[in-house]
Amino acid sequence: NAGVMQNPRHLVRRRGQEARLRCSPMKGHSHVYWYRQLPEEGLKFMVYLQKENIIDESGMPKERFSAEFPKEGPSILRIQQVVRGDSAAYFCASSPIAADTQYFGPGTRLTVL
Amino acid sequence: QKEVEQDPGPLSVPEGAIVSLNCTYSNSAFQYFMWYRQYSRKGPELLMYTYSSGNKEDGRFTAQVDKSSKYISLFIRDSQPSDSATYLCAIRSNSGNEKLTFGTGTRLTIIP
């Protein structure tokens, strides 16, 4: 049973470009969570999605960031017009039901030049 | 004040020693407590999950929760070099709010 998959594992973008991060949850999991880990900091919650619905986006920056989890396909975290401060590791987690254990993927490391 | 406080370390101990890792939290609404282990450049891996005060043991690992003091601990017995990693405490409130609130993590090195 494959775990949570994220791609790409490493992503380099220049300032002003767009970054798209993908997350495929574990089989049978319909709840997806995105977290960001800045250097020397803990993970910070960004957004919680179920299929086709955003449940909690209280941790998402108000501008340039968006997330979706379509009926078919992976969850996408999209960052428009990236800035150097967006450089971080972005982790996706999934769970089979709400209020259950969250299993993390390997992360996508975004570097903005 | 941060919702979850964790000493970032680094912490170095000799192989075979008992390791104690701790977090404090400020919000009494937090009801579920987890410890994750994160190796360098990897994703967090769940080690322990508990929701009540007291101790929970799993092999060499013991998680301890004291809700009255808002204090949680992870003990590692007979520590091994393979235990060298960053340990993150994570806390969640009661149902209806699924996000995890993490401590900053403690970097642990076990010296052979």
Side-chain angles (χ1 to χ4, degrees):
Chain A
N1 185 14
V4 178
M5 299 178 67
Q6 291 188 249
N7 66 84
R9 295 292 307 277
H10 301 274
L11 182 61
V12 179
R13 285 287 179 266
R14 296 189 181 280
R15 282 179 296 170
Q17 291 184 321
E18 179 180 288
R20 282 188 177 234
L21 288 62
R22 294 175 183 78
C23 169
S24 296
M26 289 179 70
K27 186 177 181 180
H29 290 197
S30 59
H31 299 252
V32 165
Y33 315 80
W34 286 93
Y35 294 82
R36 176 166 64 175
Q37 187 173 39
L38 294 168
E40 306 304 321
E41 293 189 21
L43 283 83
K44 304 291 186 187
F45 168 80
M46 299 182 74
V47 62
Y48 163 39
L49 310 103
Q50 289 179 303
K51 285 286 187 180
E52 300 184 278
N53 289 301
I54 296 175
I55 307 302
D56 180 357
E57 57 182 346
S58 60
M60 286 278 271
K62 298 300 181 191
E63 299 178 349
R64 301 187 297 107
F65 285 72
S66 63
E68 63 177 6
F69 189 16
K71 186 176 181 181
E72 300 291 338
S75 175
I76 306 287
L77 179 67
R78 181 184 180 201
I79 311 172
Q80 295 177 290
Q81 299 176 311
V82 296
V83 301
R84 288 209 174 119
D86 297 332
S87 295
Y90 292 82
F91 291 95
C92 166
S94 73
S95 66
I97 58 174
D100 203 345
T101 301
Q102 295 181 23
Y103 296 90
F104 282 80
T108 293
R109 280 158 182 82
L110 172 66
T111 301
V112 179
L113 302 177
Chain B
Q1 181 187 12
K2 290 183 179 179
E3 286 188 289
V4 181
E5 299 274 2
Q6 183 176 9
D7 186 341
L11 178 64
S12 296
V13 300
E15 183 176 357
I18 296 174
V19 176
S20 173
L21 304 166
N22 311 292
C23 287
T24 59
Y25 61 97
S26 57
N27 189 345
S28 57
F30 287 137
Q31 297 289 326
Y32 301 90
F33 309 92
M34 288 138 277
W35 285 94
Y36 282 85
R37 177 175 63 194
Q38 186 177 23
Y39 290 113
S40 181
R41 316 293 282 178
K42 302 290 185 183
E45 169 195 11
L46 180 68
L47 280 177
M48 301 287 285
Y49 178 92
T50 185
Y51 57 86
S52 58
S53 283
N55 295 350
K56 181 178 181 179
E57 189 173 318
D58 184 359
R60 297 185 296 111
F61 299 91
T62 300
Q64 188 175 82
V65 176
D66 182 347
K67 289 187 178 180
S68 63
S69 301
K70 299 188 180 66
Y71 192 85
I72 64 173
S73 301
L74 178 71
F75 299 97
I76 307 174
R77 292 186 301 279
D78 188 25
S79 55
Q80 305 293 314
S82 58
D83 295 328
S84 298
T86 297
Y87 289 80
L88 301 156
C89 62
I91 305 179
R92 183 166 62 80
S93 66
N94 218 335
S95 61
N97 187 345
E98 316 306 338
K99 69 178 183 182
L100 298 179
T101 300
F102 282 87
T104 53
T106 299
R107 187 174 299 176
L108 172 67
T109 300
I110 307 299
I111 304 167

